[in-house]
Amino acid sequence: MSDDIKSAPSLDGFSGIKRQNLKSRQQQILDLLFEQGNASIEFLAEHFDVSRMTIHRDAHALASQGLIDKIHGGITLKNRARTEKNVAYRQHRAANLKKTIIQRAVSMIEPGQVIILDDSTTVAEMLPLLPARAPLTVITNAVGVVQALAPFPGIKIICLGGDYSNSRNAFFGLVCEQAARSLRANVMFMSTSVISGDTAFQNDQDVVKVKRALMAIADDSVLLVDSTKFRQGGLHRLTSLSEFSRILTDSQIKPETLSELETAGIPIEIC
């Protein structure tokens, strides 16, 4: 047998790599749906640089697990609570890199403050740590935040109503925006779908409007984004990164990206 044949990688190895990439992409699709609720097949194919047929196969796999629904030309998150209970997805979200961001964010909170929490899954991971920072007043449009913090008497909750989004389990719309304008807060903690260059993007225009309204009533705004959020893409411009008091990310951010942001004077911190 020749050396070339002996050194050739096995088909099983290639299959393992393909399975790993497939799993990663499907979890990223779930991440994206948690951020925006739904997405078109065309957008996903372009976003992940794969064929529409590949996305259709991913969609079929996720639908068979009861995590998404297929709609005309796209997919939508089926049940946020059920998806959160999916073991693989929970492990994916609980990565150590994201935990360091959460711990740093919570350390910035002082007892007695009024804080704003958006409906993002990243911010939701702060919730178990917040009772230790009480007393606090929490302003939010996210039902999950209310449910998680309601049992703790040291935390006062102000929930902004409006048009309820089942896929995001949160309130949006004009009523929500108007309610926000009547309040004031010390600091807002939030996340976003994509950071491209020096700009934060969100893939849902209704989400953009509420996030902007909430940022406007906070003395400081802190953006929590893991390194995977720094990529090309994004649909609706949220705001320039210079509008944030601080941006918290993990050590896996690309050195060239970090250098560009620091040179531009963006207040970014590696956790």
Side-chain angles (χ1 to χ4, degrees):
M1 183 179 291
S2 71
D3 289 340
D4 288 341
I5 294 175
K6 281 194 262 187
S7 62
S10 69
L11 292 177
D12 287 341
F14 283 122
S15 297
I17 293 171
K18 287 182 68 177
R19 284 195 296 271
Q20 183 178 15
N21 290 340
L22 175 64
K23 183 178 179 181
S24 175
R25 187 175 60 249
Q26 289 176 4
Q27 289 181 329
Q28 289 180 60
I29 290 173
L30 287 177
D31 276 334
L32 191 148
L33 292 181
F34 262 87
E35 293 291 345
Q36 64 186 63
N38 57 70
S40 70
I41 297 297
E42 183 176 355
F43 169 81
L44 292 171
E46 181 177 349
H47 181 77
F48 292 104
D49 193 25
V50 296
S51 70
R52 292 167 59 91
M53 185 58 66
T54 296
I55 296 298
H56 276 295
R57 284 195 293 267
D58 287 342
H60 178 75
L62 292 171
S64 68
Q65 299 174 58
L67 302 177
I68 68 161
D69 280 326
K70 295 180 181 179
I71 57 177
H72 181 67
I75 59 176
T76 185
L77 198 63
K78 185 170 187 176
N79 185 304
R80 178 179 289 261
R82 180 172 179 177
T83 303
E84 286 180 329
K85 292 177 182 177
N86 178 275
V87 175
Y89 185 67
R90 286 177 64 87
Q91 290 175 342
H92 171 67
R93 286 175 50 213
N96 289 333
L97 293 177
K98 185 175 287 188
K99 285 183 179 179
T100 63
I101 297 173
I102 299 306
Q103 290 167 353
R104 174 61 180 128
V106 173
S107 74
M108 298 170 64
I109 299 173
E110 298 291 338
Q113 284 188 321
V114 179
I115 67 173
I116 301 172
L117 304 178
D118 75 355
D119 69 306
S120 65
T121 57
T122 300
V123 169
E125 294 192 23
M126 296 174 61
L127 300 179
L129 304 178
L130 292 182
R133 315 300 289 186
L136 291 173
T137 297
V138 176
I139 300 170
T140 187
N141 66 317
V143 176
V145 172
V146 177
Q147 293 171 329
L149 298 181
F152 301 97
I155 299 181
K156 177 181 179 181
I157 304 170
I158 300 175
C159 183
L160 307 175
D163 296 327
Y164 177 71
S165 167
N166 183 62
S167 64
R168 297 186 67 93
N169 196 29
F171 294 98
F172 300 94
L174 183 60
V175 173
C176 186
E177 296 163 38
Q178 290 177 333
R181 295 189 187 106
S182 66
L183 300 168
R184 193 72 193 174
N186 298 111
V187 60
M188 176 179 181
F189 294 93
M190 59 181 286
S191 190
T192 193
S193 301
V194 175
I195 294 179
S196 183
D198 63 353
T199 304
F201 289 88
Q202 194 73 35
N203 293 318
D204 187 314
Q205 60 182 346
D206 291 329
V207 177
V208 168
K209 292 176 182 178
V210 168
K211 286 183 189 285
R212 285 178 178 171
L214 291 171
M215 289 180 67
I217 66 169
D219 295 334
D220 294 299
S221 295
V222 179
L223 184 66
L224 283 54
V225 283
D226 64 73
S227 53
T228 66
K229 297 288 184 75
F230 292 84
R231 59 179 186 265
Q232 295 299 314
L235 182 58
H236 300 285
R237 184 182 186 277
L238 175 60
T239 189
S240 168
L241 296 184
S242 62
E243 294 300 311
F244 294 100
S245 308
R246 193 168 300 180
I247 298 166
L248 306 181
T249 191
D250 60 70
S251 59
Q252 296 304 303
I253 184 173
K254 294 180 180 179
E256 58 268 28
T257 300
L258 178 61
S259 177
E260 290 172 1
L261 293 174
E262 289 178 333
T263 300
I266 302 301
I268 189 166
E269 178 180 332
I270 306 301
C271 299

